[in-house]
Amino acid sequence: MGSKARPQGLCALTSVELDQLAGMATYFPTIFLGVAVFLLNVVFSWLVGTQREQIAVLKAFGYSNAGIGMHYAQMVLLISLLGQQLAETYSTFFRFPYLDYHLSPCVAAIGLTNRSRDYQIMP
């Protein structure tokens, strides 16, 4: 008999749900991090724009472009590390469950037994 077995309705529904969750787990963090990087860029562009006079004084005292740029890069790094520390504190305070599925042989045997009863050929 060369017929291909159709998946059960609940199995297909669960499979579609898991595929959707996998997609959301990929796209939402990407969008969130993209927005965070954009906002950080906007804030630091504004900060550099408002501190143009201070930057001009520093350059007049002999600081190089790289030295001034390094100062602002250190500020970005400090804010990023602070955000990382806050995220780690949040993750230790709120414990989210991790789905680790193990199929018990007993459960599999019960399922196969019940399934095989459904397909018994009646005379």
Side-chain angles (χ1 to χ4, degrees):
M1 311 264 204
S3 67
K4 193 172 185 181
R6 284 185 20 212
Q8 293 288 325
L10 184 60
C11 178
L13 182 67
T14 305
S15 177
V16 169
E17 289 274 339
L18 288 174
D19 289 342
Q20 288 176 351
L21 286 174
M24 288 191 325
T26 302
Y27 295 124
F28 281 151
T30 305
I31 292 170
F32 177 78
L33 290 174
V35 169
V37 166
F38 172 73
L39 289 175
L40 196 60
N41 183 29
V42 167
V43 167
F44 275 92
S45 296
W46 174 80
L47 185 64
V48 169
T50 59
Q51 293 183 351
R52 289 178 65 90
E53 295 173 0
Q54 290 85 354
I55 293 171
V57 170
L58 288 173
K59 289 184 88 167
F61 283 140
Y63 284 94
S64 66
N65 288 340
I68 295 170
M70 185 61 72
H71 167 70
Y72 287 103
Q74 288 173 349
M75 286 176 54
V76 169
L77 183 63
L78 179 68
I79 290 174
S80 299
L81 289 176
L82 180 65
Q84 181 184 7
Q85 283 299 108
L86 287 173
E88 287 177 7
T89 303
Y90 180 81
S91 67
T92 57
F93 185 70
F94 294 103
R95 296 264 181 207
F96 294 107
Y98 177 74
L99 178 62
D100 191 17
Y101 180 73
H102 295 286
L103 181 62
S104 169
C106 179
V107 172
I110 291 171
L112 287 173
T113 304
N114 289 337
R115 188 74 178 148
S116 63
R117 264 192 274 154
D118 293 342
Y119 287 114
Q120 287 179 352
I121 299 174
M122 297 295 217

